Amino acid sequence: MKNQVLLFLLAFSLQVTAQEHLVSGVVTDATNTPIPGVNVMVKGTSKGTQTNFDGQYSIVAQKDQTLVFSFIGFETLEVKIGESKTVDVQMEESHEALEEVVIMGYATKKSERSLSYAVSDVLGGSVAGVSVTKEGDSKVYGNYRSGTLTAGEINDIENFGEWQEIIREKEFQKIKEDWGFHLENKLIVTVKDKNGKGVNNAKVSLYSANEHANTPEMTTKTDVFGKSILFKDVECNANSDYYYVQVVHNDKLFGKKIKSNVKEVVFSTEDLSSCNNLDIMFTIDATGSMGDEMEYLKEELKDIIGRIDNTVGEKRIAMTFYRDQGDEYVVKDFDFTSNLNEAQMNLNKQYAGGGGDYEEAVEKAMKIAMSKSWNENARARLMFLLLDAPPHLTEENIETIHQQIKIAQKEGIKIIPVVASGADKTVEMLMRFFSISTNGTYVFLTDDSGVGNPHLKPTTSKYEVEKLNDLIVRLIKKYANA
């Protein structure tokens, strides 16, 4: 009987797979001008994509399913797929006023504005011949507005007691064991100069005092405040009675032997000038599931890059976009540049597409991001990881992720995840592991903006809602001590 059930399920699965096929097409307006950025969803599912700059899209679906085409300023259109593998559609402009949500503090208000330009003027996410207008601190670029997306932050390092309680909850035990993270035994190491000022970029290593323990449990760098956070159980629950803390700075070696219950260690060294450079990497999931928020994220990041230029000294921007195996690309990367206009142009050319299953190639994007030309002497190295799905859970991917986390720790790169709509608890907990492991913080989008699909409620006792662009600029200034 059991074998018969298995055979039935296999036959049913093969039948469903056989019904699926790749549907592609072009979306245009009434003048036959291609419309980029149109959301294309399979009705009744979470499967979706966006049109590219030429209005083209492709998506896997079944012949009895319906495609839903939606875009700001146009009437939503539903088309039954049927036997056709090509579905071209022409969308009609909506003559109704557009309703927007503008965040004011922690409350919201609604405002209306008419669509005052043809969407056929949209070129790569911006609007040709339309000047930028302002409402408060928000800027309007085409159909999208920076300062729209809302977010919260959970800093588990600063609220470590709550994190220790969360990680022991039964529902998170499997996630912890699946991915091999623990992070419950924290050690703060501070390196100061003779004037009590924090020393940046000092190398700090933690060794177990157990016999034959020649490899450090963890190695990292001090931040601009002279602090580094290490974990005695970064990858396992095994503990030693004693540990050695080693600091290397300016070719000098300092060390202390500590008991396992010691929570903080301080070292002093001579006063040294620090570098004023700042490296920022944006690593972004560009699969179709990000389509509901991708264009808004682009405008938020363009606004952030522009504001960094005015608030921080020397800075460089790098970008890594990723999808998954079988997509148009797996990873597309742009190395660090001090030309912020170039960075904004690279960002403006990106769009969401591909995917198809839940997990994406996060580990490959991290590997590329860590391999870029990070400045080892920069006052801060920050990697913002924007995503809504985890990597595929395989032994190889787990190993790759742990390797990249070790590189980030060793190079003093803080990983700051920004989790979008559609994420589940595995994504939340895994990203919180990423941020804690690298002395970063965890950021998540919220429903307060009214943009995108529903957002996961974080596991925390409290958080404040901010505009995403303000939050990220605040974090950049915080970690750069600007």
Side-chain angles (χ1 to χ4, degrees):
M1 181 65 182
K2 183 177 180 181
N3 290 336
Q4 290 177 331
V5 171
L6 290 174
L7 287 172
F8 171 78
L9 291 175
L10 177 60
F12 178 76
S13 175
L14 291 173
Q15 182 180 5
V16 171
T17 302
Q19 292 175 351
E20 290 187 336
H21 60 267
L22 185 67
V23 181
S24 59
V26 179
V27 182
T28 59
D29 62 14
T31 65
N32 290 321
T33 301
I35 310 175
V38 175
N39 291 321
V40 185
M41 300 290 296
V42 178
K43 188 174 182 178
T45 74
S46 60
K47 186 182 296 185
T49 186
Q50 277 192 325
T51 56
N52 63 17
F53 295 119
D54 298 317
Q56 300 169 338
Y57 74 92
S58 60
I59 192 168
V60 175
Q62 299 176 27
K63 62 182 181 180
D64 61 344
Q65 291 180 315
T66 299
L67 296 182
V68 181
F69 300 84
S70 60
F71 192 68
I72 295 176
F74 286 81
E75 298 287 350
T76 298
L77 183 64
E78 295 188 5
V79 179
K80 189 73 175 287
I81 297 172
E83 299 292 340
S84 177
K85 294 184 179 180
T86 301
V87 179
D88 296 330
V89 299
Q90 188 175 82
M91 300 186 71
E92 297 182 2
E93 278 192 62
S94 171
H95 298 291
E96 297 180 1
L98 294 179
E99 186 180 73
E100 298 174 344
V101 177
V102 181
I103 303 303
M104 302 187 67
Y106 302 131
T108 62
K109 75 173 185 178
K110 293 183 178 180
S111 64
E112 292 186 351
R113 64 180 173 89
S114 298
L115 190 66
S116 57
Y117 50 85
V119 179
S120 58
D121 290 332
V122 176
L123 299 175
S126 61
V127 178
V130 178
S131 61
V132 175
T133 62
K134 293 185 177 180
E135 288 186 19
D137 293 330
S138 300
K139 299 178 183 177
V140 178
Y141 302 87
N143 292 312
Y144 306 98
R145 175 194 298 274
S146 66
T148 295
L149 296 182
T150 54
E153 176 199 3
I154 302 174
N155 193 313
D156 288 310
I157 291 177
E158 295 178 1
N159 301 286
F160 201 66
E162 183 177 69
W163 167 254
Q164 289 176 307
E165 293 178 4
I166 290 172
I167 201 60
R168 293 181 186 128
E169 293 181 10
K170 185 177 180 179
E171 66 175 308
F172 301 127
Q173 289 298 311
K174 187 176 188 306
I175 300 173
K176 182 175 74 171
E177 296 303 325
D178 282 346
W179 294 96
F181 287 100
H182 297 277
L183 307 177
E184 297 176 52
N185 200 336
K186 180 179 71 170
L187 174 67
I188 303 172
V189 178
T190 305
V191 183
K192 298 181 179 180
D193 64 18
K194 61 184 179 181
N195 297 316
K197 182 180 178 181
V199 174
N200 195 196
N201 288 318
K203 179 182 175 182
V204 183
S205 298
L206 179 69
Y207 292 83
S208 170
N210 290 335
E211 188 177 2
H212 306 303
N214 297 319
T215 303
E217 301 288 320
M218 180 175 172
T219 297
T220 186
K221 287 184 175 181
T222 55
D223 60 18
V224 72
F225 304 102
K227 287 187 177 294
S228 61
I229 312 296
L230 299 99
F231 294 90
K232 300 165 189 171
D233 59 346
V234 66
E235 289 187 350
C236 66
N237 284 315
N239 288 316
S240 172
D241 292 333
Y242 291 91
Y243 291 87
Y244 294 104
V245 182
Q246 183 186 87
V247 175
V248 178
H249 186 62
N250 195 29
D251 296 327
K252 292 186 178 180
L253 176 66
F254 308 87
K256 288 184 181 180
K257 183 178 181 180
I258 63 171
K259 291 183 177 181
S260 61
N261 61 353
V262 171
K263 303 297 183 184
E264 189 164 0
V265 181
V266 179
F267 291 88
S268 295
T269 183
E270 67 269 23
D271 184 15
L272 290 170
S273 59
S274 61
C275 177
N276 195 40
N277 290 357
L278 173 65
D279 277 358
I280 301 174
M281 163 76 74
F282 293 106
T283 300
I284 304 172
D285 179 345
T287 56
S289 62
M290 292 287 286
D292 58 335
E293 292 165 326
M294 185 68 167
E295 294 303 319
Y296 286 97
L297 284 169
K298 286 166 61 175
E299 298 308 328
E300 303 290 7
L301 294 181
K302 284 189 283 187
D303 176 71
I304 290 163
I305 292 171
R307 290 166 66 182
I308 294 170
D309 194 34
N310 298 324
T311 59
V312 181
E314 301 174 34
K315 80 288 299 175
R316 301 189 306 160
I317 303 292
M319 294 182 184
T320 303
F321 300 88
Y322 70 94
R323 293 182 179 174
D324 205 0
Q325 299 289 351
D327 289 337
E328 180 183 353
Y329 61 84
V330 177
V331 179
K332 180 187 295 185
D333 56 288
F334 303 91
D335 207 347
F336 285 98
T337 177
S338 56
N339 185 335
L340 302 192
N341 288 331
E342 177 184 342
Q344 289 181 328
M345 289 177 61
N346 290 335
L347 173 63
N348 201 46
K349 295 175 182 177
Q350 309 311 313
Y351 59 92
D357 58 359
Y358 185 49
E359 296 84 359
E360 312 297 357
V362 181
E363 76 291 339
K364 291 181 172 57
M366 290 179 66
K367 191 171 183 178
I368 294 296
M370 290 301 133
S371 71
K372 293 304 170 187
S373 58
W374 294 88
N375 183 347
E376 64 179 14
N377 297 313
R379 64 190 292 110
R381 290 165 291 273
L382 308 176
M383 184 179 117
F384 291 92
L385 176 56
L386 290 78
L387 79 174
D388 65 352
H392 295 270
L393 179 57
T394 67
E395 290 185 8
E396 181 181 0
N397 287 350
I398 292 171
E399 178 64 24
T400 298
I401 284 172
H402 278 266
Q403 290 173 350
Q404 305 320 306
I405 291 292
K406 283 186 177 180
I407 293 172
Q409 291 168 339
K410 185 177 179 181
E411 301 301 323
I413 300 168
K414 295 181 186 291
I415 298 179
I416 304 173
V418 181
V419 174
S421 61
D424 61 12
K425 282 297 177 184
T426 296
V427 178
E428 178 192 347
M429 298 312 295
L430 188 57
M431 291 305 106
R432 289 171 78 165
F433 281 128
F434 282 16
S435 65
I436 298 170
S437 299
T438 59
N439 294 198
T441 190
Y442 173 77
V443 176
F444 52 95
L445 299 186
T446 72
D447 288 337
D448 300 79
S449 67
V451 174
N453 296 319
H455 300 82
L456 181 71
K457 295 294 183 184
T459 307
T460 185
S461 59
K462 61 180 179 179
Y463 64 89
E464 294 182 347
V465 177
E466 304 176 60
K467 294 181 180 180
L468 176 65
N469 56 347
D470 290 342
L471 194 161
I472 291 182
V473 169
R474 174 174 65 78
L475 291 176
I476 292 171
K477 294 171 70 175
K478 171 185 175 179
Y479 289 122
N481 196 21

